[in-house]
Amino acid sequence: MARDPRYDILFEPVKIGPVTAPNRFYQTPHAIGLGWQRPQAGAALRGVKAEGGWGVVCTEYCSIHPTSDDSPYGFLTLWDEDDVAALAQTADAIHAHGSLAGIELWHGGSHASNRWSRVPGIAPSVIPAMYHLPTTARGMDLTDIRAFRGWQRDAAIRAKRAGFDIVYVYAGHDYLPFQFLSPRHNRRADQYGGSLENRVRLLREMIEDTKDAVGDSCAVAVRLAVDELHGPAGITSEGEGREIVAMLAELPDLWDVNVAGSLGNDSKSARFSAEGYQEPQVAFVKTLTTKPVVSVGRFTSPDVMVSQIRRGIQDFIGAARPSIADPFLPTKIREGREDEIRECIGCNICRAANNEGVHLRCTQNPTIAEEWRRGWHPEKIATYPKRDKVLVVGAGPAGLEAALSLGRRGLDVTLADRNGKLGGRILNESTLPGLSTWIRVRDWRQHMIAKLNNVAVFPGSEMTADDIAGFGAEHVVLATGAKWRRDCIGVNGMDVLDLARALTPDDVFAGAAISGAVVIYDDEHYFMGGALAEKLARAGHNVTLVTPNASVSSWTAMTDEIGFLHARLHELGLGMQTGRLLLEHGKGRVRLACTASGKESELACDTLIVATGRVPDDRLHHELAAVPRAFTLHRVGDCMQPSSIADAIYSAHRFAREFGEEAVAVPRRERPPVKDFA
Ligand code: ADP
Ligand code: SF4
């Protein structure tokens, strides 16, 4: 198909200092958790992004010196020649597709835990280390600053030798150069502290040093948080953020700007932000510089992208999450296939991977970070040698993914769901406040299935074991999902008496009557308890959220949502009781116990909703497994293991990939030759 001429502007080359990007699609630096230990996996992931059409592809954060060690999280290093050889693989993989390779040189300052290197952290002043340890970062003296400038310079030279085209000076996300900028951290009384000009001095020197070292052939980019969202006490886009850009306007070859006192602000989930949400804070940058500007905002719509360029907000379309959810987004627009873009849903499961210190995961894209270790490609899947008949029962995320991927392999697929609409759990979950984008999981798969003439879809078709046995398929895949449990067993166990009248989230979605004082007991800790509480409070109910954990919806800390969620729940005036186990549901009340002291208390409760976990809906599996069969029987998704939507899709995708092959129990791993362990 031909490209829509409206989108031509997105495919214009853009000069960045001494190098030229082939188009305006710019994959900004983002963590993948593979770190310096897994260079081949990292190279393969970035190579696929370049293959998918991103004109610039950047690495994750890359430490310039052991005083900046983010263990146990995956981060890159450019500390020595081995690192040059390792990272050259990434630069080569990106160049193989004609894209520019960028590297985000990084020093975390008081943000680095140095658990691996065990050297003291450094910061502009003596300040508490920001994360994890009850420790303090050492204040840098002038000798330290000279040494630090040398590390940036040396790392830049190594980056150039490794083949990178764009080298970053990274002054965002509260890291060292930003700590110098922000008066919240910089308490120095010398030429690097006090006035803004003094606080900017180190950043200016770093840009000059980096240009001097590699600027003949590499572009030097500055990544700057123009607003740290701490109000007047910090850098703001109306105040010092603007002044910093004005002072350094023409010095770097590219400005990569964002809103980021912390990473959470820069990668807000869809629950708390819309596409393009950073525009109000970053739009001023282009008015102050002639150098190209890039920013992010979960851009998935080509029309919004064009508008960003035409309205002069930025020169590139910066993307981390949209490029994870669909590495081939640019190619799809270029080929007039924008309807096939697998849009990021803004769920931040990718951020959770980062916060948990594991490699990248994505709800929409099960192949991310599997390019090397399992050899998965987001757009290619091996054809199955025969046209066997497969029946998939259940069209939630797992059933849809199984049907689509088996269909792409060329099998003859029938997908049946008892519901009149496809989507399974997402049909309910996407009606919760802020989660409407989650329906994209269903929409994309349903749309892509409709393009395949070997997949037939039957909504409104309840399947019994007899129906399945009589269907005549050679293979049956059960994707029948899970139900919220009624027994109240949660992460912290269960000791509840008289649950007969308690509702589950499934009952609420099915329209159960809710009246009087509502108590939601959350011992699952992800989005459901908090989101239901928000929904019911907005509908005018008097809601109290009770949890045994120390904070409500505690796992949303992993998705960087917890702070925004708590603010919202406080705004709504919800009651919240933490550290409380549910003991009994009596008439008009619940009895609770403090998790620490055991002290009991009572709370008014006319409607109790328990969200403590889910159990598989595996009745069909047990029925079919118990009798002789003329077909192979399989389970995928929540009916095997109730978990996140990301896990359901991954399970179904892996099943489809490995269907007819020997299952890969241990994926490829990177480690030095065994003799090196001696
Ligand atoms: P997952 O996340 O694993 O995809 P979901 O709960 O989202 O699980 O989806 C399960 C789907 O299976 C639901 O749409 C449900 O209607 C469907 N389903 C369950 N049992 C049957 C059945 N016996 N016949 C047809 N569809 C079924
Ligand atoms: Fe987007 Fe969710 Fe995938 Fe992250 S995990 S890229 S937020 S769809």
Side-chain angles (χ1 to χ4, degrees):
M1 257 203 301
R3 170 168 88 219
D4 186 327
R6 276 182 305 165
Y7 306 141
D8 285 353
I9 194 169
L10 300 174
F11 295 90
E12 291 171 351
V14 181
K15 204 165 154 13
I16 315 173
V19 297
T20 302
N23 60 40
R24 296 185 189 268
F25 292 95
Y26 192 118
Q27 183 246 273
T28 48
H30 69 76
I32 54 177
L34 293 164
W36 60 267
Q37 297 93 335
R38 281 159 289 187
Q40 298 178 87
L45 187 155
R46 302 297 177 186
V48 165
K49 299 273 196 89
E51 185 189 349
W54 297 89
V56 177
V57 178
C58 298
T59 65
E60 61 190 326
Y61 59 154
C62 178
S63 169
I64 59 173
H65 190 264
T67 50
S68 184
D69 155 27
D70 211 25
S71 302
Y73 303 105
F75 64 104
L76 298 172
T77 52
L78 260 181
W79 297 345
D80 59 22
E81 287 309 301
D82 281 354
D83 286 332
V84 174
L87 280 168
Q89 298 178 73
T90 292
D92 289 350
I94 295 167
H95 290 156
H97 302 283
S99 305
L100 295 180
I103 186 158
E104 185 185 43
L105 300 186
W106 166 74
H107 198 295
S110 64
H111 201 301
S113 66
N114 297 354
R115 283 187 181 88
W116 181 88
S117 63
R118 300 209 65 183
V119 294
I122 55 173
S125 321
V126 179
I127 51 176
M130 279 186 214
Y131 289 93
H132 316 300
L133 294 167
T135 185
T136 305
R138 185 168 69 75
M140 294 163 77
D141 61 21
L142 292 180
T143 310
D144 293 320
I145 290 180
R146 258 195 310 281
F148 169 76
R149 288 174 58 187
W151 302 335
Q152 166 78 18
R153 192 187 163 87
D154 291 347
I157 292 167
R158 290 192 188 108
K160 178 179 164 181
R161 267 213 310 288
F164 287 92
D165 311 287
I166 302 172
V167 176
Y168 268 72
V169 174
Y170 185 11
H173 299 128
D174 243 351
Y175 293 135
L176 187 75
F178 191 81
Q179 290 159 20
F180 270 83
L181 293 175
S182 173
R184 288 191 306 121
H185 304 301
N186 185 339
R187 303 282 162 159
R188 302 177 71 94
D190 63 1
Q191 66 268 40
Y192 288 96
S195 68
L196 181 62
E197 201 174 334
N198 281 355
R199 282 181 276 126
V200 167
R201 189 178 310 279
L202 181 64
L203 178 56
R204 183 191 292 281
E205 289 171 346
M206 288 174 75
I207 303 168
E208 287 167 353
D209 292 343
T210 310
K211 285 194 92 164
D212 184 51
V214 299
D216 56 332
S217 60
C218 298
V220 175
V222 168
R223 194 174 206 196
L224 177 71
V226 293
D227 199 318
E228 56 178 324
L229 299 186
H230 275 291
I235 304 286
T236 66
S237 54
E238 291 98 35
E240 290 192 338
R242 182 178 291 263
E243 287 178 60
I244 295 166
V245 176
M247 287 161 87
L248 304 174
E250 299 299 312
L251 206 50
D253 297 312
L254 174 129
W255 285 96
D256 176 345
V257 287
N258 58 35
V259 174
S262 67
L263 276 162
N265 289 328
D266 191 22
S267 51
K268 268 191 187 173
S269 71
R271 201 169 169 187
F272 301 101
S273 67
E275 186 172 3
Y277 65 95
Q278 302 202 15
E279 185 180 321
Q281 282 91 6
V282 302
F284 77 87
V285 178
K286 259 192 77 63
T287 66
L288 298 179
T289 179
T290 64
K291 301 297 168 118
V293 174
V294 63
S295 185
V296 292
R298 251 184 21 255
F299 299 111
T300 56
S301 149
D303 294 309
V304 172
M305 295 175 195
V306 168
S307 151
Q308 288 280 305
I309 309 290
R310 292 221 182 279
R311 289 184 298 117
I313 309 300
Q314 53 178 325
D315 301 282
F316 287 99
I317 299 305
R321 287 171 292 177
S323 75
I324 296 168
D326 194 343
F328 275 64
L329 181 153
T331 296
K332 289 174 183 175
I333 301 174
R334 195 184 69 226
E335 295 178 352
R337 295 188 288 128
E338 53 274 7
D339 63 304
E340 295 185 10
I341 293 173
R342 188 172 45 211
E343 291 180 292
C344 166
I345 68 168
C347 61
N348 276 11
I349 284 294
C350 49
R351 292 289 312 131
N354 187 223
N355 287 322
E356 290 177 319
V358 296
H359 65 255
L360 193 54
R361 272 173 279 160
C362 170
T363 298
Q364 281 283 58
N365 178 9
T367 68
I368 200 78
E370 301 290 352
E371 301 84 357
W372 183 84
R373 76 169 193 164
R374 289 191 188 273
W376 292 358
H377 187 283
E379 299 296 306
K380 296 178 197 153
I381 188 163
T383 304
Y384 189 74
K386 292 183 282 160
R387 187 141 181 184
D388 285 5
K389 269 179 84 170
V390 186
L391 171 65
V392 180
V393 181
L400 286 164
E401 177 65 30
L404 175 60
S405 295
L406 291 169
R408 286 171 68 206
R409 294 196 64 188
L411 287 123
D412 185 358
V413 182
T414 301
L415 174 64
D417 197 294
R418 66 155 75 100
N419 201 328
K421 284 187 187 160
L422 308 187
R425 61 185 285 186
I426 300 178
L427 290 171
N428 289 331
E429 291 171 2
S430 62
T431 64
L432 292 169
L435 303 190
S436 61
T437 50
W438 289 23
I439 201 70
R440 292 172 176 179
V441 170
R442 190 264 323 254
D443 289 349
W444 181 78
R445 287 169 178 80
Q446 190 170 352
H447 181 70
M448 297 306 289
I449 284 172
K451 293 188 178 211
L452 298 174
N453 58 19
N454 54 327
V455 182
V457 182
F458 294 93
S461 306
E462 169 110 33
M463 301 294 286
T464 62
D466 285 346
D467 295 333
I468 293 169
F471 185 77
E474 287 150 295
H475 313 282
V476 171
V477 183
L478 298 177
T480 46
K483 298 261 176 296
W484 283 91
R485 59 196 312 155
R486 294 190 175 280
D487 58 11
C488 211
I489 294 177
V491 174
N492 292 275
M494 189 288 287
D495 207 4
V496 189
L497 304 172
D498 191 9
L499 277 169
R501 288 169 298 111
L503 304 177
T504 69
D506 290 324
D507 298 328
V508 177
F509 289 122
I514 293 170
S515 61
V518 179
V519 170
I520 299 178
Y521 182 65
D522 182 359
D523 197 10
E524 193 245 8
H525 313 291
Y526 185 23
F527 67 90
M528 183 56 77
L532 261 188
E534 181 180 347
K535 184 178 169 115
L536 296 179
R538 286 189 190 284
H541 293 284
N542 164 17
V543 183
T544 304
L545 193 48
V546 177
T547 178
N549 277 9
S551 59
V552 300
S553 302
S554 54
W555 199 80
T556 61
M558 294 298 128
T559 51
D560 288 344
E561 294 175 296
I562 195 163
F564 305 116
L565 176 64
H566 286 185
R568 185 172 284 178
L569 297 180
H570 281 300
E571 261 166 42
L572 286 166
L574 272 168
M576 285 182 252
Q577 296 216 3
T578 56
R580 295 283 180 279
L581 279 165
L582 178 61
L583 294 185
E584 187 187 358
H585 183 205
K587 198 167 168 25
R589 65 179 177 91
V590 283
R591 194 156 56 86
L592 307 172
C594 171
T595 49
S597 66
K599 191 169 170 221
E600 293 191 10
S601 58
E602 288 199 340
L603 185 63
C605 174
D606 300 299
T607 305
L608 172 66
I609 302 169
V610 292
T612 62
R614 293 179 305 141
V615 285
D617 185 352
D618 52 7
R619 190 179 39 81
L620 276 179
H621 172 79
H622 291 303
E623 285 175 20
L624 291 167
V627 294
R629 302 177 304 276
F631 49 86
T632 66
L633 181 64
H634 313 270
R635 270 183 296 177
V636 293
D638 289 336
C639 78
M640 167 103 87
Q641 179 208 9
S643 187
S644 62
I645 300 171
D647 283 349
I649 287 178
Y650 184 88
S651 133
H653 189 83
R654 183 175 166 204
F655 166 77
R657 286 257 174 195
E658 294 180 344
F659 185 70
E661 318 267 327
E662 206 168 312
V664 182
V666 182
R668 277 209 289 179
R669 285 183 286 174
E670 296 185 60
R671 54 185 168 197
V674 175
K675 67 179 170 53
D676 286 1
F677 288 120

